[in-house]
Amino acid sequence: MATTKSHPKSSWDTLHNNGPFPLKTLHVTELEGSANMFSKYDRYNDAAKEIQRLIREAADKNEGFRAYGSAWSLSHIAHQKDNMHFNSFMSIHIPIPQELSHENSSYANENLFFFECGNTIKRISEVLSSHGKSLKTSGASNGQTIAGCISTGVHGAALNVGSIQDYVVGLNLIIGDKPTDIVYLERHTQPALNDDFAKKIKAKVIRNDHLFNAALVGLGAFGFIHGVVIEAEDRFLLKRYVKKIPKDLALQLADTMDFKNSTFKIDGEVDADGKPLRPYHYKVFINPYTNDNEYVVEVMYKKPYQVPYPDPFPVIKTSLYKDLIYLLIKISEKFPKSIPWFIKQLRKTILPAVDEETLGTLYETFWDAPYQGPAFACSVGIDHTNSSKAYKVLEEMTQKEGPIPGIFAMRFVKQTEATLGFTKFPITCMLEIDGVLWEKSRKIMSLTEYSRRMIEVLQENDIPFTIHWGKNSDWKFPNLVNDMFGEKVAEWKSYRNGLLSTEMQQVFSNGFLEDTNLHLPNNTNDEDLIVSL
């Protein structure tokens, strides 16, 4: 039987030390060993019963219950003051056999895999590689769990793919303690697996595009995500270049995404007519405290998988540009542990001149990020056509009202179908400022104050925006979520209310949902919303 150890606690913190936050009890569930329970499905279902027991226990105490994996988010979205469940030991993975594919599925059966919630991106990549497959994209790092990624909308910089949730095709949710409270959810227009699969995990099937899209970036509010079905693809290589290019050219590409007609050209990365190819990935690094004529850019091009190829790790391991937070922490290590001194260094040209090239798989390119120290990250999503405009107003605010110990980057992501996915624009520019966490002083505003000013400045300049759910922000800012998502908020709430009982809406709520006014029901509880379509 699956067993849970429950630890009385007084506090909990994120990986990047953005807390601490108060906590009563931390639960850690371990699955029954395979020697005692051979079937993966039996072990999976046994774990589901244990989670249901914990949910009922929390509800009987009128307490909340929330799962987390790697504590990667920098906001308090994963925190619950009463009960938190550590998912990382829940790591079953199952390739989908042909006989479990839906008769109307448009997915290649060999690309479908079922992963339990605690699997990390790194582990999933290793499993897929053993089948000759790969994830379609990942974030800049690989330590997050799959359930945490999709709950908060983790993204990379893949122009034609989207975020991690955008290749999820099935969700297994535990929404209460009753036998009927285990649900397998898919889109009705794009079914993936048949009812025989749902029977194997003892789940009720619901195929409904609207409910699926609402639950996809569910912020932990649609129940306990026990497992996900993802669509992988054949393993591929990424040719990665890190270069400095003229500032105006980097921003022009951001605003237009017109690589074909650009003067930016890399030898070998052109079409038959000699025109520049559209990259798989485009990222811009910007130091707001210097007036550089050039920006560092990272571009990647997708290549067929073939061996042998040069080992990418010697470069990747030492590259300052593999992750922005890692970059800032590595730079800060060279200076005294003083934020004013660190900011003084930012006024110099700290981004080194580079001409890096690597060739490797997605797994090798977005490899381990060895974070060492407190960090912050603010990230807003804007339509890419507003990229340079948004950066200009935020840069000006940072220079005039700052300084703060961080630098900017831009990443570009294909639009999501998730109802509250922050990559909502046709191509979303994720404009982020990351750096070393600091304390408010007479000369430096607080992180919350800086986050608030970001929101106000974008609103004052009529630039529509969203905010990354897992990043730092002033999440209590008045009417913030409604301003970002409009009528989609009521839609998201309606489907949550239709799926969860009033009791379970309370169980799966937390301070983050209260701060953003997403915990409030809109009194629909309309079960007609969540029927299979």
Side-chain angles (χ1 to χ4, degrees):
M1 301 288 289
T3 56
T4 301
K5 293 180 181 178
S6 299
H7 307 277
K9 302 283 285 187
S10 60
S11 66
W12 174 88
D13 205 352
T14 70
L15 177 67
H16 307 293
N17 305 130
N18 301 108
F21 304 102
L23 175 63
K24 290 182 181 178
T25 310
L26 175 65
H27 305 279
V28 181
T29 298
E30 294 189 21
L31 276 59
E32 180 60 82
S34 57
N36 298 327
M37 190 177 289
F38 179 74
S39 167
K40 287 187 176 181
Y41 286 110
D42 287 347
R43 294 171 67 212
Y44 184 87
N45 294 332
D46 178 55
K49 288 182 181 179
E50 177 65 3
I51 296 301
Q52 288 191 301
R53 181 187 72 80
L54 295 172
I55 290 171
R56 172 42 53 198
E57 188 178 85
D60 288 344
K61 294 178 181 178
N62 197 30
E63 293 182 346
F65 183 87
R66 178 156 289 235
Y68 80 98
S70 301
W72 215 272
S73 290
L74 296 98
S75 70
H76 56 300
I77 190 169
H79 171 248
Q80 219 295 333
K81 64 181 177 60
D82 299 321
N83 298 278
M84 295 186 68
H85 186 274
F86 180 61
N87 278 359
S88 288
F89 290 113
M90 304 178 73
S91 56
I92 288 172
H93 49 84
I94 305 173
I96 301 298
Q98 181 65 48
E99 61 267 22
L100 296 182
S101 283
H102 194 279
E103 61 180 356
N104 296 324
S105 173
S106 60
Y107 304 105
N109 173 256
E110 63 270 17
N111 287 339
L112 297 180
F113 294 81
F114 182 56
F115 287 97
E116 198 173 16
C117 54
N119 279 284
T120 63
I121 295 300
K122 180 176 182 177
R123 179 57 181 151
I124 290 173
S125 294
E126 292 169 346
V127 170
L128 294 180
S129 183
S130 70
H131 292 268
K133 301 294 179 180
S134 171
L135 292 173
K136 296 185 175 187
T137 188
S138 71
S141 308
N142 62 7
Q144 310 97 322
T145 58
I146 186 65
C149 282
I150 66 175
S151 294
T152 58
V154 169
H155 64 93
L159 301 182
N160 297 319
V161 176
S163 305
I164 288 179
Q165 74 270 7
D166 296 316
Y167 51 76
V168 171
V169 300
L171 285 172
N172 174 216
L173 303 174
I174 301 175
I175 59 173
D177 64 308
K178 301 180 181 63
T180 55
D181 287 338
I182 297 177
V183 174
Y184 176 65
L185 179 60
E186 292 184 335
R187 292 187 177 96
H188 67 277
T189 58
Q190 293 177 290
L193 305 185
N194 59 30
D195 291 5
D196 289 339
F197 169 77
K199 289 176 183 176
K200 285 182 175 293
I201 59 172
K202 302 185 184 302
K204 175 177 67 176
V205 178
I206 304 177
R207 294 189 178 91
N208 182 317
D209 284 20
H210 309 295
L211 175 59
F212 184 85
N213 290 338
L216 197 53
V217 177
L219 315 182
F222 276 72
F224 185 99
I225 299 175
H226 191 191
V228 302
V229 181
I230 67 165
E231 182 192 23
E233 65 174 282
D234 290 343
R235 194 162 39 185
F236 57 90
L237 298 176
L238 289 173
K239 181 67 174 181
R240 172 180 175 267
Y241 303 87
V242 181
K243 294 182 175 293
K244 278 194 172 182
I245 67 173
K247 168 183 176 179
D248 292 343
L249 177 56
L251 294 177
Q252 181 187 60
L253 287 170
D255 286 340
T256 66
M257 291 283 107
D258 185 7
F259 291 90
K260 183 176 181 179
N261 296 304
S262 171
T263 58
F264 175 64
K265 184 183 293 188
I266 295 177
D267 291 343
E269 306 300 346
V270 295
D271 63 17
D273 298 321
K275 293 283 191 178
L277 293 172
R278 180 183 178 87
Y280 166 90
H281 164 117
Y282 180 61
K283 183 174 182 178
V284 185
F285 297 85
I286 311 171
N287 184 348
Y289 300 115
T290 61
N291 190 26
D292 293 334
N293 292 322
E294 293 182 311
Y295 286 165
V296 174
V297 298
E298 179 185 65
V299 287
M300 301 181 194
Y301 298 86
K302 201 170 183 178
K303 307 291 183 181
Y305 182 78
Q306 56 186 14
V307 292
Y309 57 89
D311 181 5
F313 282 124
V315 176
I316 292 294
K317 284 180 179 179
T318 59
S319 174
L320 288 177
Y321 293 98
K322 65 180 180 179
D323 185 276
L324 192 56
I325 290 178
Y326 177 67
L327 166 67
L328 268 292
I329 289 175
K330 291 300 289 184
I331 292 172
S332 71
E333 289 173 355
K334 299 179 182 180
F335 306 116
K337 301 293 183 180
S338 165
I339 293 301
W341 181 265
F342 179 63
I343 291 173
K344 184 177 180 181
Q345 305 312 307
L346 293 180
R347 300 188 188 281
K348 303 176 183 179
T349 304
I350 64 168
L351 297 180
V354 290
D355 196 11
E356 289 181 2
E357 291 187 21
T358 59
L359 180 66
T361 62
L362 182 80
Y363 168 75
E364 292 166 334
T365 302
F366 297 101
W367 194 58
D368 299 355
Y371 293 118
Q372 298 176 2
F376 81 93
C378 300
S379 185
V380 294
I382 50 183
D383 190 298
H384 82 92
T385 58
N386 285 326
S387 296
S388 59
K389 177 183 178 183
Y391 172 67
K392 182 178 180 181
V393 299
L394 291 178
E395 177 192 51
E396 184 176 320
M397 181 270 289
T398 302
Q399 291 172 343
K400 287 184 177 180
E401 302 180 33
I404 64 165
I407 62 175
F408 282 90
M410 294 178 179
R411 288 190 278 173
F412 301 86
V413 190
K414 181 183 176 182
Q415 187 174 39
T416 186
E417 293 185 61
T419 307
L420 291 190
F422 55 79
T423 50
K424 72 172 191 176
F425 303 102
I427 297 177
T428 299
C429 169
M430 295 308 302
L431 179 53
E432 46 205 21
I433 182 163
D434 297 356
V436 180
L437 206 57
W438 78 94
E439 296 291 336
K440 175 182 171 65
S441 70
R442 288 187 300 106
K443 295 183 178 180
I444 306 177
M445 70 173 82
S446 71
L447 177 56
T448 299
E449 289 169 337
Y450 181 77
S451 303
R452 183 182 310 131
R453 288 297 294 139
M454 290 182 73
I455 295 168
E456 290 171 346
V457 165
L458 290 169
Q459 290 181 338
E460 289 163 5
N461 287 274
D462 298 318
I463 301 174
F465 68 95
T466 57
I467 299 176
H468 190 310
W469 296 111
K471 299 293 181 74
N472 301 112
S473 190
D474 179 11
W475 288 107
K476 291 184 179 181
F477 191 91
N479 212 37
L480 176 63
V481 176
N482 284 327
D483 284 348
M484 293 192 298
F485 292 99
E487 61 186 20
K488 291 289 186 180
V489 177
E491 180 182 340
W492 186 88
K493 286 184 177 181
S494 294
Y495 282 100
R496 179 178 185 244
N497 295 346
L499 183 67
L500 298 183
S501 67
T502 301
E503 178 186 42
M504 288 301 150
Q505 288 183 55
Q506 287 298 116
V507 169
F508 292 112
S509 188
N510 71 341
F512 183 87
L513 294 179
E514 293 170 4
D515 287 347
T516 54
N517 289 320
L518 287 169
H519 68 300
L520 298 173
N522 56 9
N523 300 317
T524 57
N525 288 113
D526 186 355
E527 294 190 5
D528 289 341
L529 282 172
I530 63 165
V531 298
S532 290
L533 299 177

